[in-house]
Amino acid sequence: MRCLFMCVGVLLASVAITEARPKAAGNQKCKSGPVDLVFIIDGSRSVRPHEFETMRKFMIDIIHELDIGRDITRVGVVQYSSQVQNVFSLKDFTTHQQMVKAINEIIPLAQGTMTGLAIRYAMNVAFSTAEGARPNVPHVAVIVTDGRPQDRVAEVAAAARESGIEIYAVGVARADMTSLRAMASPPFEDHVFLVESFDLIHQFGLQFQDKLCKIDLCVESDHGCDHICESSPGSYQCLCLPGYTLNEDGKTCTAIDLCAEGKHDCEQICISSPGSFTCDCNTGYTLNEDKKTCTMIDYCSFGNDSCEHECVSVLNGFNCRCKEGYALNDDKRTCTMIDYCSFGNDSCEHECVSVLQSFYCRCNEGYNLNEDETTCTMIDYCSFGNDSCEHECVSILNGFNCRCKEGYKLNDDKKTCTMIDYCSFGNDSCEHECVSVLNGFYCRCNEGYTLNEDERTCTMINYCSFGNDSCEHECVSVLKGFNCRCNEGYTLNEDKKTCTMIDYCSFGNDSCEHECVSVLKGFNCRCYEGYTLNEDKRTCTMIDYCSFGNDSCEHECVSVLKGFNCRCNEGYTLNEDKRTCTMIDYCSFGNDSCEHTCVSVLNGFYCRCNGGYTLNDDKKTCTMIDYCSFGNHSCDHECVSVLNGFYCRCNKDYTLQEDGKTCQADNLCNVVEHGCEHQCVSTPGSYYCICPEGHLLQDDGKSCGSCRSANIDLVLLIDGSKSVRPQNFELVKQFVNQVVDQLDVSGHGTRVGLVQYSSRVRTEFPLSMYKSKEEIKAAVLKVEYMEKGTMTGLALKHMVENSFSEAEGARAASRNIPRIGLVFTDGRSQDDITEWAKKAKDAGITMYAVGVGKAVEDELRLIASEPVEKHFFYSADFSAISQIAENLKLNICAEESQGEIEVKDPCACDSLVEFQQATMTTLNQLNQKHILYSSMSHQPKYYSQFQQNKVT
């Protein structure tokens, strides 16, 4: 859709036309709209009083030219400096008089230049439906400023433009062109204006009026259009008839030559006409049915009988062509096969044979053609089988010969070979034997001899020198072998190698009681295992192992051969470890007579009942103990006995209390003196008091009070890190709005600012931006989730240095307005918080710390002000943060009471009575909690089980 407002730059370039336009008669108004127009005017201290008056007149002059009405043009005015002031909204006025009166009553704010803050306010508030903006009507903002913004404007201006607001930026004198371009809508030449002084601002006003008014310049001016004039609000444009294009002068027209512009799609020839074209073909071609492409004329199709092989069409005629392997004759019609050998057959080693499209090589007799199909190789007759040659076959032309290997000679049959015998030539040099080998001979010794180094003579072999390991004692060398010999006192065994000491015991060992052990040249006596040799060195006595100490036997030790055995006393049985004893379990022989448990004792057993039962007179059966029979006075209504105890039960319409004994009516509000000032709400077994909207329950839990009369500056730092997750971030925003609901927000009352942080810090809105809790809650719901890290320390630094500055709306410390900071986080900070948590409290900021999930308690306590327990809150998950918000109401209201309200005399009678009542109520509540805890901690196990079953 074309922008409703044509660029102002075009109008400035057409001043002559604008000045020459016919003037409206009388008080005729501009027929503008519908449009929603908001003026955003700079009220900083740099704008001098007379300049502000010029800006005031500028707005009034434009409004006077507009057709004002709820269904036509709506106008709003916003003034800004270090804060934003809503002079009047789009919904406020419907007449010129009302608007002019309000503009004349504007008082300059005379502070800083927070242009970005003003644009954000216009986007979130001034152009909201709540302030009178219409959804399907153009939104136009005119920003008038004389200086460089003291905050960032690019990001918020981009967001405003993206939301559908068209922005005109008018700079005066000291205004910064870069900032103006960052604010304005594109194109900049139509939306950015910079004039030298406020006295010249009316020039923009005149041009802007033309943009809003529907003056038909095609009728009321000499437009000079060649073909067609099209009027638009405050301007016009020239158009051309179909087939023509508008020239650079914007008025005259020239016929469109599609052929010259290359927009014809013709393959060969393009014939132009205004806005159109036709296609044609070159000589020798015909136009195809698509009227764009061309095809060459096929002359062969008219009859090609004169060509022997093939007819080929060419431009304006045809040629004859021979098949592959043939050449066209001089008559250009007939064909002859090509003789490829005639081109030179140097590649053939022997003979060239020509064939169709090629040639092949042929070899002479006795030769074969190689794989390269060009050279020849003599036939290898040996390859056909040379079995007749014993050693080697040598091919020759048309045959083969046999050849012997070196050291052999060919026999008379010309096929077999015999090795040459070199020993037959004379072997006198060998002492023992000559052995012929291929190409020579060697000397060999008889058995039992070895060849000497001269390789001719022989020496008998010394077999003992090879190693006599096989002889246990001594080796004696002989021809072709050796013999073994034993030392004195030994005899050679049958294996002729090993030796055995002479066994003197074998000569008679009757003197040894057990065993005789031979030694060299004698013998000794030895006892069997488990016995010891007596002093006579002949007889033996059994060893008494029990005498060494029988501590390992639990009862009695009995010595046996090579050891001992353990034995148990009567009534006991020896365990598997053969050391310890266990009393005989008579119950294991069958305890059917016991109803519950059989207990074994020495030489018998007795019956025992399970817990909660008592043994009957028959000493075998059991009966459950009736605990109620001991006296059930502790139960308020009824006592019910169960195993190992009892529980209390209430009558109908009553509920058992946490002490498990007393009964409470289900609707306590109807049966007790609850003392609620406003309303009593019953809960199972209890009740609580609530207050009307706008009031808070006091410490006594019954009376209602309001902290809305007090003033504070409250800045909330909310964690927007990735770990929070989108669905939980929505709960965080609800938490913020729940806190805001309890505050008296206004320009002179409580002020609220919001900062979100992750890996960076972003001010969502400062303390000075909003003047009502409705505005704040709406802005909170629009806050977008940042994600990324958790830089809590950086956020605290930003809060101390920026959020509580007077530039962002914090009131001067001299006014004694309490400054409160509330940090909401779900995890450990990725930077250090110690320095800035301390600086925040040193700066007089009361700090609250709210943690959820993985928040670190030590960090929360470090952030919180003293007393920490009052300023520190934690919940395991996000579902419980609404309860934290409820608890925060009382604490924050207590902080509010420090600011600009009446301070009561603590020594006054009323104050003392109020303090005494609150103290007694708190002590009673603590006492009741302690009693309930103590009674519950001493309940038997069956009680908790019963309560669980009852709930189920």
Side-chain angles (χ1 to χ4, degrees), residues 252-471:
T252 60
C253 300
T254 299
I256 298 173
D257 186 354
L258 296 179
C259 291
E261 295 178 6
K263 300 179 181 179
H264 50 74
D265 294 334
C266 292
E267 185 177 1
Q268 292 184 357
I269 300 173
C270 176
I271 302 172
S272 182
S273 60
S276 183
F277 64 89
T278 57
C279 297
D280 199 0
C281 296
N282 298 327
T283 304
Y285 291 84
T286 180
L287 192 64
N288 294 329
E289 292 182 0
D290 61 4
K291 301 302 181 183
K292 295 181 181 180
T293 60
C294 300
T295 301
M296 189 177 69
I297 299 170
D298 184 8
Y299 286 92
C300 288
S301 63
F302 303 152
N304 63 343
D305 298 343
S306 59
C307 291
E308 182 179 0
H309 283 183
E310 273 183 80
C311 175
V312 180
S313 282
V314 295
L315 187 60
N316 297 320
F318 69 91
N319 293 327
C320 290
R321 184 168 59 195
C322 294
K323 296 176 181 177
E324 192 172 0
Y326 290 82
L328 192 65
N329 295 329
D330 294 338
D331 60 5
K332 303 299 183 182
R333 296 289 186 268
T334 59
C335 301
T336 300
M337 188 175 75
I338 300 169
D339 180 9
Y340 287 92
C341 286
S342 64
F343 300 154
N345 62 343
D346 296 343
S347 59
C348 289
E349 185 176 359
H350 286 182
E351 186 182 354
C352 176
V353 180
S354 190
V355 294
L356 182 62
Q357 299 182 16
S358 186
F359 68 91
Y360 68 89
C361 296
R362 186 164 56 199
C363 295
N364 298 332
E365 185 179 1
Y367 289 83
N368 282 332
L369 192 64
N370 294 330
E371 290 183 0
D372 62 5
E373 298 183 350
T374 302
T375 60
C376 300
T377 301
M378 187 178 70
I379 298 171
D380 182 8
Y381 287 92
C382 289
S383 64
F384 300 154
N386 63 344
D387 297 343
S388 58
C389 291
E390 184 178 0
H391 283 185
E392 273 184 82
C393 174
V394 181
S395 282
I396 58 175
L397 187 60
N398 296 320
F400 67 90
N401 292 327
C402 291
R403 184 168 59 195
C404 293
K405 297 176 181 176
E406 188 178 1
Y408 292 82
K409 60 182 178 178
L410 191 65
N411 295 329
D412 293 338
D413 60 5
K414 303 300 182 183
K415 294 180 180 179
T416 61
C417 301
T418 300
M419 188 175 71
I420 300 169
D421 182 11
Y422 289 92
C423 286
S424 64
F425 302 154
N427 63 344
D428 299 343
S429 60
C430 290
E431 182 179 357
H432 284 184
E433 187 182 353
C434 176
V435 180
S436 278
V437 294
L438 186 62
N439 296 322
F441 71 91
Y442 67 89
C443 295
R444 185 166 59 196
C445 295
N446 297 332
E447 188 176 0
Y449 290 84
T450 182
L451 192 66
N452 295 329
E453 291 183 0
D454 60 6
E455 296 184 352
R456 295 289 184 269
T457 60
C458 299
T459 300
M460 188 176 75
I461 298 170
N462 181 10
Y463 287 93
C464 288
S465 65
F466 299 155
N468 63 342
D469 295 344
S470 58
C471 290

Side-chain angles (χ1 to χ4, degrees), residues 218 223-230 236-247 249-256 274-275:
C218 288
H223 54 75
C225 292
D226 200 356
H227 286 183
I228 302 170
C229 176
E230 181 181 74
Y236 68 90
Q237 66 174 343
C238 296
L239 302 176
C240 295
L241 297 173
Y244 291 83
T245 181
L246 191 67
N247 294 329
D249 61 6
K251 297 182 178 182
T252 60
C253 300
T254 299
I256 298 173

Side-chain angles (χ1 to χ4, degrees), residues 762-809:
R762 182 173 73 201
T763 298
E764 301 296 350
F765 52 83
L767 290 166
S768 60
M769 177 168 283
Y770 299 117
K771 304 300 185 293
S772 69
K773 67 180 179 181
E774 290 77 15
E775 293 176 322
I776 293 174
K777 291 168 67 178
V780 169
L781 295 178
K782 292 180 181 179
V783 171
E784 295 182 357
Y785 179 32
M786 293 175 70
E787 295 190 349
K788 298 189 178 179
T790 308
M791 304 294 283
T792 311
L794 184 64
L796 290 168
K797 179 177 185 292
H798 178 86
M799 179 193 72
V800 174
E801 293 183 342
N802 299 287
S803 302
F804 281 110
S805 66
E806 292 186 31
E808 291 207 0

Side-chain angles (χ1 to χ4, degrees), residues 633-690:
H633 305 292
S634 59
C635 288
D636 205 355
H637 285 182
E638 183 182 355
C639 174
V640 180
S641 279
V642 293
L643 185 62
N644 290 323
F646 67 92
Y647 68 89
C648 298
R649 185 162 59 198
C650 295
N651 299 332
K652 184 179 180 182
D653 296 329
Y654 283 80
T655 299
L656 192 67
Q657 301 304 294
E658 291 184 358
D659 62 2
K661 297 178 181 180
T662 59
C663 298
Q664 183 73 53
D666 290 339
N667 191 344
L668 288 179
C669 290
N670 296 334
V671 297
V672 299
E673 290 295 333
H674 52 74
C676 293
E677 180 180 344
H678 176 65
Q679 183 179 348
C680 173
V681 179
S682 285
T683 59
S686 183
Y687 68 91
Y688 63 91
C689 301
I690 62 173

Side-chain angles (χ1 to χ4, degrees), residues 825-849:
T825 181
D826 84 321
R828 180 185 297 275
S829 176
Q830 294 175 341
D831 60 351
D832 183 58
I833 66 169
T834 306
E835 178 185 358
W836 288 101
K838 182 178 184 300
K839 285 186 177 180
K841 288 176 277 190
D842 291 346
I845 302 171
T846 302
M847 295 300 300
Y848 285 81

Side-chain angles (χ1 to χ4, degrees), residues 892-917:
I892 291 179
C893 287
E895 296 295 343
E896 287 183 348
S897 64
Q898 299 174 15
E900 292 189 345
I901 59 174
E902 179 183 0
V903 179
K904 294 182 179 180
D905 181 4
C907 296
C909 181
D910 291 343
S911 300
L912 291 173
V913 172
E914 181 180 350
F915 173 76
Q916 182 180 15
Q917 291 175 344

